[in-house]
């Protein structure tokens, strides 16, 4: 079964740090790009960060650039998100999601599947 | 613009058809993918590419696209289809890699 399981969430004070992990199983982790997506309480989905299969390409949303660092360990089938200088507005459920892609003539399709169950990060004093 | 705009809420009678739309410039360059999210659960992929359903997704879910608009149609809506639905695509503006739609709450009456 293809599965992603996040961990590492919790309560942290503003300005603090937290490291999220995402354990992958059931597929060849090293062959896929991965993403972090978050959802603030009662709000919509927000893409946070992307890392290619070999870690050679990384992207961040402007809202976290310079504060968050995405990484992966293909030997451990694991994805990480190091979050520093946390703010109240970073409070959210954080999901890891596998990116998939298909290229056909004149079109490229991208999608996220599967998603983990999410881990809650609360930034509050 | 890197936004994907969806109607906040729609309702549909049990067994009837509902269409959810997603508008944005990025959809002229990329197909949208669609996700269903029920309260307290992670999003689930329901449509990707031109009109593809992952295994396990009922065939009452279908997708289409024209110009800057992508649509998700539920034909013969069931009570279990009541959920939030989000579209998503790569961001052609270059501002971000990906952008999500604002989300549509579907209520089945």
């Amino acid at each position: 079964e293809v599965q992603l399981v996040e961990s590492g969430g919790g309560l942290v004070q503003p300005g603090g740090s937290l490291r999220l992990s995402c354990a992958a199983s059931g597929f060849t982790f090293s062959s896929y790009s991965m993403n972090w997506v978050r959802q603030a309480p009662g709000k919509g989905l927000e893409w946070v960060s992307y890392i290619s299969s070999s870690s050679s390409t990384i992207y961040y949303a402007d809202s976290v650039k310079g504060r968050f660092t995405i990484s992966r360990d293909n030997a451990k089938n694991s994805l990480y998100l190091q979050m520093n200088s946390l703010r109240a507005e970073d409070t959210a459920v954080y999901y890891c999601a596998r990116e998939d892609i298909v290229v056909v003539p004149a079109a490229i399709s991208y999608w996220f599947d599967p998603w983990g169950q999410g881990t809650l990060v609360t930034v509050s004093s | 613009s890197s936004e994907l705009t969806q109607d906040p809420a729609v309702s549909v009678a049990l067994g009837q058809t509902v269409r959810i739309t997603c508008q944005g410039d990025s959809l002229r360059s990329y197909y949208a993918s669609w996700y269903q999210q029920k309260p307290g659960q992670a999003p689930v992929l329901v449509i990707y590419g031109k009109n593809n359903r992952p295994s396990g997704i009922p065939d009452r879910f279908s997708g289409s696209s024209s110009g800057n608009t992508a649509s998700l149609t539920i034909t013969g809506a069931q009570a279990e289809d009541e959920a939030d639905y989000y579209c998503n695509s790569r961001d052609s503006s270059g501002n971000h890699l990906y952008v999500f739609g604002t989300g549509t709450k579907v209520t089945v009456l």
Side-chain angles (χ1 to χ4, degrees):
Chain A
E1 179 191 5
V2 176
Q3 193 173 16
L4 298 170
V5 178
E6 301 95 337
S7 60
L11 174 64
V12 61
Q13 293 187 339
S17 298
L18 212 55
R19 189 195 196 205
L20 305 183
S21 299
C22 170
S25 60
F27 64 99
T28 305
F29 180 71
S30 59
S31 297
Y32 289 87
S33 298
M34 298 293 295
N35 291 263
W36 287 99
V37 177
R38 69 183 180 183
Q39 186 171 37
K43 302 297 184 182
L45 300 172
E46 179 189 14
W47 171 79
V48 172
S49 185
Y50 162 97
I51 186 168
S52 63
S53 57
S54 64
S55 303
S56 60
T57 303
I58 286 173
Y59 295 99
Y60 298 99
D62 287 346
S63 57
V64 306
K65 200 173 295 182
R67 301 187 298 122
F68 289 12
T69 302
I70 191 172
S71 63
R72 64 190 295 163
D73 186 336
N74 288 341
K76 295 183 177 180
N77 291 335
S78 293
L79 173 72
Y80 306 102
L81 187 67
Q82 177 67 44
M83 304 185 295
N84 299 330
S85 302
L86 283 162
R87 308 166 180 167
E89 54 265 35
D90 295 319
T91 294
V93 174
Y94 285 74
Y95 298 100
C96 61
R98 185 183 75 176
E99 178 190 272
D100 215 333
I101 173 176
V102 65
V103 180
V104 296
I108 306 176
S109 299
Y110 300 89
W111 63 92
F112 297 144
D113 184 54
W115 298 58
Q117 86 287 352
T119 187
L120 176 62
V121 172
T122 303
V123 184
S124 175
S125 54
Chain B
S1 170
S2 58
E3 296 178 341
L4 293 179
T5 302
Q6 299 179 237
D7 290 331
V10 297
S11 61
V12 57
L14 185 69
Q16 296 304 301
T17 296
V18 62
R19 172 174 290 184
I20 305 162
T21 60
C22 171
Q23 288 189 303
D25 291 339
S26 294
L27 299 178
R28 297 185 185 278
S29 304
Y30 300 103
Y31 285 116
S33 53
W34 289 91
Y35 304 88
Q36 177 193 69
Q37 187 180 35
K38 297 180 179 179
Q41 297 183 18
V44 173
L45 176 72
V46 294
I47 291 290
Y48 65 96
K50 189 173 183 180
N51 180 20
N52 300 288
R53 284 175 289 104
S55 63
I57 301 300
D59 60 5
R60 62 179 178 270
F61 289 90
S62 63
S64 61
S65 182
S66 177
N68 73 335
T69 301
S71 300
L72 173 69
T73 301
I74 309 173
T75 304
Q78 302 299 302
E80 60 264 32
D81 300 333
E82 185 163 296
D84 293 325
Y85 291 84
Y86 295 91
C87 59
N88 171 261
S89 81
R90 281 276 179 120
D91 180 9
S92 63
S93 75
N95 292 335
H96 295 112
L97 186 62
Y98 279 103
V99 59
F100 280 94
T102 48
T104 299
K105 169 65 177 178
V106 172
T107 300
V108 180
L109 303 173

